[in-house]
PDB file of all heavy atoms in Angstrom:
ATOM      1  N   LEU A 123      -8.368  10.462 -39.083  1.00 93.00           N
ATOM      2  CA  LEU A 123      -8.295  11.915 -39.192  1.00 93.00           C
ATOM      3  C   LEU A 123      -9.503  12.460 -39.949  1.00 93.00           C
ATOM      4  O   LEU A 123      -9.797  12.025 -41.058  1.00 93.00           O
ATOM      5  CB  LEU A 123      -7.005  12.327 -39.912  1.00 93.00           C
ATOM      6  CG  LEU A 123      -6.847  13.826 -40.201  1.00 93.00           C
ATOM      7  CD1 LEU A 123      -6.825  14.632 -38.904  1.00 93.00           C
ATOM      8  CD2 LEU A 123      -5.576  14.071 -41.012  1.00 93.00           C
ATOM      9  N   CYS A 124     -10.164  13.429 -39.336  1.00 89.00           N
ATOM     10  CA  CYS A 124     -11.324  14.086 -39.946  1.00 89.00           C
ATOM     11  C   CYS A 124     -11.000  15.569 -40.086  1.00 89.00           C
ATOM     12  O   CYS A 124     -11.073  16.328 -39.109  1.00 89.00           O
ATOM     13  CB  CYS A 124     -12.572  13.890 -39.088  1.00 89.00           C
ATOM     14  SG  CYS A 124     -12.948  12.162 -38.716  1.00 89.00           S
ATOM     15  N   ASN A 125     -10.629  15.985 -41.280  1.00 88.00           N
ATOM     16  CA  ASN A 125     -10.214  17.361 -41.563  1.00 88.00           C
ATOM     17  C   ASN A 125     -11.424  18.140 -42.066  1.00 88.00           C
ATOM     18  O   ASN A 125     -11.812  18.018 -43.220  1.00 88.00           O
ATOM     19  CB  ASN A 125      -9.089  17.345 -42.598  1.00 88.00           C
ATOM     20  CG  ASN A 125      -8.516  18.718 -42.845  1.00 88.00           C
ATOM     21  OD1 ASN A 125      -8.503  19.569 -41.967  1.00 88.00           O
ATOM     22  ND2 ASN A 125      -8.027  18.943 -44.054  1.00 88.00           N
ATOM     23  N   THR A 126     -12.038  18.954 -41.202  1.00 83.00           N
ATOM     24  CA  THR A 126     -13.323  19.570 -41.536  1.00 83.00           C
ATOM     25  C   THR A 126     -13.215  20.793 -42.442  1.00 83.00           C
ATOM     26  O   THR A 126     -14.225  21.264 -42.957  1.00 83.00           O
ATOM     27  CB  THR A 126     -14.085  19.977 -40.263  1.00 83.00           C
ATOM     28  OG1 THR A 126     -13.392  21.050 -39.622  1.00 83.00           O
ATOM     29  CG2 THR A 126     -14.210  18.792 -39.309  1.00 83.00           C
ATOM     30  N   GLN A 127     -12.006  21.338 -42.615  1.00 69.00           N
ATOM     31  CA  GLN A 127     -11.808  22.514 -43.470  1.00 69.00           C
ATOM     32  C   GLN A 127     -12.684  23.691 -43.040  1.00 69.00           C
ATOM     33  O   GLN A 127     -13.174  24.453 -43.880  1.00 69.00           O
ATOM     34  CB  GLN A 127     -12.071  22.159 -44.938  1.00 69.00           C
ATOM     35  CG  GLN A 127     -11.037  21.227 -45.545  1.00 69.00           C
ATOM     36  CD  GLN A 127      -9.696  21.888 -45.735  1.00 69.00           C
ATOM     37  OE1 GLN A 127      -9.592  22.931 -46.366  1.00 69.00           O
ATOM     38  NE2 GLN A 127      -8.659  21.291 -45.171  1.00 69.00           N
ATOM     39  N   ARG A 128     -12.910  23.790 -41.728  1.00 68.00           N
ATOM     40  CA  ARG A 128     -13.699  24.906 -41.167  1.00 68.00           C
ATOM     41  C   ARG A 128     -15.094  24.990 -41.795  1.00 68.00           C
ATOM     42  O   ARG A 128     -15.632  26.076 -42.044  1.00 68.00           O
ATOM     43  CB  ARG A 128     -12.957  26.238 -41.352  1.00 68.00           C
ATOM     44  CG  ARG A 128     -11.559  26.238 -40.779  1.00 68.00           C
ATOM     45  CD  ARG A 128     -10.859  27.558 -40.974  1.00 68.00           C
ATOM     46  NE  ARG A 128      -9.474  27.487 -40.521  1.00 68.00           N
ATOM     47  CZ  ARG A 128      -9.072  27.645 -39.260  1.00 68.00           C
ATOM     48  NH1 ARG A 128      -9.968  27.901 -38.341  1.00 68.00           N
ATOM     49  NH2 ARG A 128      -7.797  27.565 -38.937  1.00 68.00           N
ATOM     50  N   ASN A 129     -15.680  23.825 -42.039  1.00 68.00           N
ATOM     51  CA  ASN A 129     -16.972  23.770 -42.708  1.00 68.00           C
ATOM     52  C   ASN A 129     -17.921  22.934 -41.861  1.00 68.00           C
ATOM     53  O   ASN A 129     -17.645  21.778 -41.558  1.00 68.00           O
ATOM     54  CB  ASN A 129     -16.789  23.153 -44.101  1.00 68.00           C
ATOM     55  CG  ASN A 129     -18.070  23.099 -44.890  1.00 68.00           C
ATOM     56  OD1 ASN A 129     -18.976  22.353 -44.550  1.00 68.00           O
ATOM     57  ND2 ASN A 129     -18.141  23.881 -45.964  1.00 68.00           N
ATOM     58  N   ASP A 130     -19.081  23.521 -41.474  1.00 73.00           N
ATOM     59  CA  ASP A 130     -19.993  22.820 -40.576  1.00 73.00           C
ATOM     60  C   ASP A 130     -20.609  21.583 -41.229  1.00 73.00           C
ATOM     61  O   ASP A 130     -20.876  20.582 -40.556  1.00 73.00           O
ATOM     62  CB  ASP A 130     -21.085  23.760 -40.057  1.00 73.00           C
ATOM     63  CG  ASP A 130     -21.886  24.418 -41.164  1.00 73.00           C
ATOM     64  OD1 ASP A 130     -21.484  24.294 -42.344  1.00 73.00           O
ATOM     65  OD2 ASP A 130     -22.903  25.060 -40.853  1.00 73.00           O
ATOM     66  N   MET A 131     -20.818  21.603 -42.552  1.00 78.00           N
ATOM     67  CA  MET A 131     -21.379  20.429 -43.228  1.00 78.00           C
ATOM     68  C   MET A 131     -20.381  19.269 -43.235  1.00 78.00           C
ATOM     69  O   MET A 131     -20.754  18.117 -43.021  1.00 78.00           O
ATOM     70  CB  MET A 131     -21.788  20.785 -44.658  1.00 78.00           C
ATOM     71  CG  MET A 131     -22.969  21.745 -44.745  1.00 78.00           C
ATOM     72  SD  MET A 131     -23.450  22.112 -46.450  1.00 78.00           S
ATOM     73  CE  MET A 131     -23.996  20.498 -46.999  1.00 78.00           C
ATOM     74  N   ARG A 132     -19.103  19.592 -43.460  1.00 79.00           N
ATOM     75  CA  ARG A 132     -18.074  18.548 -43.403  1.00 79.00           C
ATOM     76  C   ARG A 132     -17.953  18.000 -41.981  1.00 79.00           C
ATOM     77  O   ARG A 132     -17.799  16.797 -41.781  1.00 79.00           O
ATOM     78  CB  ARG A 132     -16.730  19.107 -43.864  1.00 79.00           C
ATOM     79  CG  ARG A 132     -16.609  19.313 -45.364  1.00 79.00           C
ATOM     80  CD  ARG A 132     -15.279  19.977 -45.721  1.00 79.00           C
ATOM     81  NE  ARG A 132     -14.145  19.129 -45.365  1.00 79.00           N
ATOM     82  CZ  ARG A 132     -13.498  18.346 -46.215  1.00 79.00           C
ATOM     83  NH1 ARG A 132     -13.885  18.278 -47.481  1.00 79.00           N
ATOM     84  NH2 ARG A 132     -12.459  17.623 -45.824  1.00 79.00           N
ATOM     85  N   GLU A 133     -18.042  18.896 -41.018  1.00 78.00           N
ATOM     86  CA  GLU A 133     -17.954  18.475 -39.616  1.00 78.00           C
ATOM     87  C   GLU A 133     -19.094  17.527 -39.264  1.00 78.00           C
ATOM     88  O   GLU A 133     -18.883  16.495 -38.619  1.00 78.00           O
ATOM     89  CB  GLU A 133     -17.977  19.708 -38.711  1.00 78.00           C
ATOM     90  CG  GLU A 133     -17.676  19.416 -37.244  1.00 78.00           C
ATOM     91  CD  GLU A 133     -17.508  20.687 -36.430  1.00 78.00           C
ATOM     92  OE1 GLU A 133     -17.196  21.740 -37.023  1.00 78.00           O
ATOM     93  OE2 GLU A 133     -17.684  20.626 -35.206  1.00 78.00           O
ATOM     94  N   GLN A 134     -20.315  17.863 -39.700  1.00 78.00           N
ATOM     95  CA  GLN A 134     -21.470  17.011 -39.442  1.00 78.00           C
ATOM     96  C   GLN A 134     -21.318  15.664 -40.139  1.00 78.00           C
ATOM     97  O   GLN A 134     -21.639  14.615 -39.584  1.00 78.00           O
ATOM     98  CB  GLN A 134     -22.752  17.699 -39.919  1.00 78.00           C
ATOM     99  CG  GLN A 134     -24.023  16.936 -39.596  1.00 78.00           C
ATOM    100  CD  GLN A 134     -24.246  16.798 -38.106  1.00 78.00           C
ATOM    101  OE1 GLN A 134     -24.403  17.791 -37.395  1.00 78.00           O
ATOM    102  NE2 GLN A 134     -24.240  15.562 -37.601  1.00 78.00           N
ATOM    103  N   SER A 135     -20.795  15.687 -41.367  1.00 80.00           N
ATOM    104  CA  SER A 135     -20.597  14.457 -42.111  1.00 80.00           C
ATOM    105  C   SER A 135     -19.610  13.532 -41.402  1.00 80.00           C
ATOM    106  O   SER A 135     -19.823  12.311 -41.331  1.00 80.00           O
ATOM    107  CB  SER A 135     -20.092  14.783 -43.525  1.00 80.00           C
ATOM    108  OG  SER A 135     -19.827  13.603 -44.254  1.00 80.00           O
ATOM    109  N   TYR A 136     -18.552  14.108 -40.869  1.00 77.00           N
ATOM    110  CA  TYR A 136     -17.569  13.299 -40.151  1.00 77.00           C
ATOM    111  C   TYR A 136     -18.155  12.748 -38.848  1.00 77.00           C
ATOM    112  O   TYR A 136     -17.877  11.608 -38.461  1.00 77.00           O
ATOM    113  CB  TYR A 136     -16.321  14.119 -39.856  1.00 77.00           C
ATOM    114  CG  TYR A 136     -15.329  14.150 -40.995  1.00 77.00           C
ATOM    115  CD1 TYR A 136     -14.863  15.357 -41.510  1.00 77.00           C
ATOM    116  CD2 TYR A 136     -14.849  12.967 -41.552  1.00 77.00           C
ATOM    117  CE1 TYR A 136     -13.956  15.382 -42.554  1.00 77.00           C
ATOM    118  CE2 TYR A 136     -13.936  12.982 -42.589  1.00 77.00           C
ATOM    119  CZ  TYR A 136     -13.493  14.189 -43.091  1.00 77.00           C
ATOM    120  OH  TYR A 136     -12.594  14.202 -44.126  1.00 77.00           O
ATOM    121  N   LEU A 137     -18.969  13.538 -38.176  1.00 76.00           N
ATOM    122  CA  LEU A 137     -19.618  13.044 -36.956  1.00 76.00           C
ATOM    123  C   LEU A 137     -20.507  11.844 -37.271  1.00 76.00           C
ATOM    124  O   LEU A 137     -20.518  10.853 -36.531  1.00 76.00           O
ATOM    125  CB  LEU A 137     -20.446  14.152 -36.299  1.00 76.00           C
ATOM    126  CG  LEU A 137     -19.720  15.124 -35.375  1.00 76.00           C
ATOM    127  CD1 LEU A 137     -20.707  16.103 -34.773  1.00 76.00           C
ATOM    128  CD2 LEU A 137     -18.978  14.389 -34.277  1.00 76.00           C
ATOM    129  N   ASP A 138     -21.266  11.937 -38.348  1.00 77.00           N
ATOM    130  CA  ASP A 138     -22.122  10.817 -38.754  1.00 77.00           C
ATOM    131  C   ASP A 138     -21.286   9.577 -39.065  1.00 77.00           C
ATOM    132  O   ASP A 138     -21.665   8.456 -38.709  1.00 77.00           O
ATOM    133  CB  ASP A 138     -22.947  11.208 -39.988  1.00 77.00           C
ATOM    134  CG  ASP A 138     -23.962  12.304 -39.688  1.00 77.00           C
ATOM    135  OD1 ASP A 138     -24.285  12.484 -38.495  1.00 77.00           O
ATOM    136  OD2 ASP A 138     -24.403  12.973 -40.637  1.00 77.00           O
ATOM    137  N   MET A 139     -20.135   9.779 -39.713  1.00 75.00           N
ATOM    138  CA  MET A 139     -19.263   8.662 -40.040  1.00 75.00           C
ATOM    139  C   MET A 139     -18.730   7.998 -38.774  1.00 75.00           C
ATOM    140  O   MET A 139     -18.677   6.771 -38.676  1.00 75.00           O
ATOM    141  CB  MET A 139     -18.094   9.141 -40.891  1.00 75.00           C
ATOM    142  CG  MET A 139     -17.163   8.016 -41.345  1.00 75.00           C
ATOM    143  SD  MET A 139     -15.545   8.614 -41.878  1.00 75.00           S
ATOM    144  CE  MET A 139     -14.800   8.985 -40.282  1.00 75.00           C
ATOM    145  N   LEU A 140     -18.362   8.814 -37.785  1.00 74.00           N
ATOM    146  CA  LEU A 140     -17.844   8.263 -36.529  1.00 74.00           C
ATOM    147  C   LEU A 140     -18.915   7.441 -35.815  1.00 74.00           C
ATOM    148  O   LEU A 140     -18.612   6.414 -35.213  1.00 74.00           O
ATOM    149  CB  LEU A 140     -17.347   9.397 -35.626  1.00 74.00           C
ATOM    150  CG  LEU A 140     -16.132  10.173 -36.131  1.00 74.00           C
ATOM    151  CD1 LEU A 140     -15.763  11.285 -35.151  1.00 74.00           C
ATOM    152  CD2 LEU A 140     -14.944   9.257 -36.347  1.00 74.00           C
ATOM    153  N   ARG A 141     -20.156   7.914 -35.892  1.00 69.00           N
ATOM    154  CA  ARG A 141     -21.250   7.142 -35.295  1.00 69.00           C
ATOM    155  C   ARG A 141     -21.384   5.776 -35.974  1.00 69.00           C
ATOM    156  O   ARG A 141     -21.509   4.748 -35.324  1.00 69.00           O
ATOM    157  CB  ARG A 141     -22.571   7.900 -35.447  1.00 69.00           C
ATOM    158  CG  ARG A 141     -22.751   9.092 -34.538  1.00 69.00           C
ATOM    159  CD  ARG A 141     -24.198   9.561 -34.592  1.00 69.00           C
ATOM    160  NE  ARG A 141     -24.379  10.817 -33.880  1.00 69.00           N
ATOM    161  CZ  ARG A 141     -24.376  12.007 -34.475  1.00 69.00           C
ATOM    162  NH1 ARG A 141     -24.182  12.084 -35.781  1.00 69.00           N
ATOM    163  NH2 ARG A 141     -24.549  13.101 -33.782  1.00 69.00           N
ATOM    164  N   GLN A 142     -21.367   5.773 -37.284  1.00 70.00           N
ATOM    165  CA  GLN A 142     -21.584   4.547 -38.046  1.00 70.00           C
ATOM    166  C   GLN A 142     -20.445   3.547 -37.872  1.00 70.00           C
ATOM    167  O   GLN A 142     -20.668   2.345 -37.794  1.00 70.00           O
ATOM    168  CB  GLN A 142     -21.755   4.896 -39.528  1.00 70.00           C
ATOM    169  CG  GLN A 142     -23.024   5.693 -39.812  1.00 70.00           C
ATOM    170  CD  GLN A 142     -22.989   6.354 -41.183  1.00 70.00           C
ATOM    171  OE1 GLN A 142     -22.108   6.087 -41.984  1.00 70.00           O
ATOM    172  NE2 GLN A 142     -23.948   7.235 -41.435  1.00 70.00           N
ATOM    173  N   ASN A 143     -19.231   4.062 -37.825  1.00 65.00           N
ATOM    174  CA  ASN A 143     -18.081   3.170 -37.686  1.00 65.00           C
ATOM    175  C   ASN A 143     -17.822   2.752 -36.249  1.00 65.00           C
ATOM    176  O   ASN A 143     -16.968   1.913 -35.989  1.00 65.00           O
ATOM    177  CB  ASN A 143     -16.820   3.846 -38.256  1.00 65.00           C
ATOM    178  CG  ASN A 143     -16.862   3.912 -39.769  1.00 65.00           C
ATOM    179  OD1 ASN A 143     -17.612   3.192 -40.406  1.00 65.00           O
ATOM    180  ND2 ASN A 143     -16.056   4.774 -40.337  1.00 65.00           N
ATOM    181  N   LYS A 144     -18.580   3.348 -35.327  1.00 73.00           N
ATOM    182  CA  LYS A 144     -18.492   2.991 -33.916  1.00 73.00           C
ATOM    183  C   LYS A 144     -17.051   3.016 -33.411  1.00 73.00           C
ATOM    184  O   LYS A 144     -16.518   2.036 -32.888  1.00 73.00           O
ATOM    185  CB  LYS A 144     -19.100   1.602 -33.685  1.00 73.00           C
ATOM    186  CG  LYS A 144     -20.562   1.502 -34.086  1.00 73.00           C
ATOM    187  CD  LYS A 144     -21.141   0.154 -33.721  1.00 73.00           C
ATOM    188  CE  LYS A 144     -22.564   0.017 -34.211  1.00 73.00           C
ATOM    189  NZ  LYS A 144     -23.465   1.021 -33.674  1.00 73.00           N
ATOM    190  N   VAL A 145     -16.399   4.163 -33.576  1.00 87.00           N
ATOM    191  CA  VAL A 145     -15.073   4.345 -32.989  1.00 87.00           C
ATOM    192  C   VAL A 145     -15.213   4.313 -31.475  1.00 87.00           C
ATOM    193  O   VAL A 145     -16.298   4.525 -30.920  1.00 87.00           O
ATOM    194  CB  VAL A 145     -14.439   5.678 -33.435  1.00 87.00           C
ATOM    195  CG1 VAL A 145     -14.163   5.674 -34.916  1.00 87.00           C
ATOM    196  CG2 VAL A 145     -15.320   6.855 -33.052  1.00 87.00           C
ATOM    197  N   ASP A 146     -14.117   4.053 -30.796  1.00 92.00           N
ATOM    198  CA  ASP A 146     -14.173   3.946 -29.335  1.00 92.00           C
ATOM    199  C   ASP A 146     -14.257   5.305 -28.650  1.00 92.00           C
ATOM    200  O   ASP A 146     -14.660   5.392 -27.489  1.00 92.00           O
ATOM    201  CB  ASP A 146     -12.944   3.188 -28.827  1.00 92.00           C
ATOM    202  CG  ASP A 146     -12.921   1.753 -29.312  1.00 92.00           C
ATOM    203  OD1 ASP A 146     -14.009   1.224 -29.622  1.00 92.00           O
ATOM    204  OD2 ASP A 146     -11.827   1.163 -29.395  1.00 92.00           O
TER     205      ASP A 146
END
Side-chain angles (χ1 to χ4, degrees):
L123 175 62
C124 305
N125 185 30
T126 68
Q127 291 290 305
R128 305 180 185 276
N129 182 292
D130 57 350
M131 292 181 65
R132 285 175 63 98
E133 189 172 337
Q134 185 63 62
S135 177
Y136 275 126
L137 276 183
D138 293 340
M139 183 198 75
L140 294 179
R141 286 192 188 96
Q142 294 164 9
N143 288 341
K144 300 185 184 301
V145 294
D146 296 336

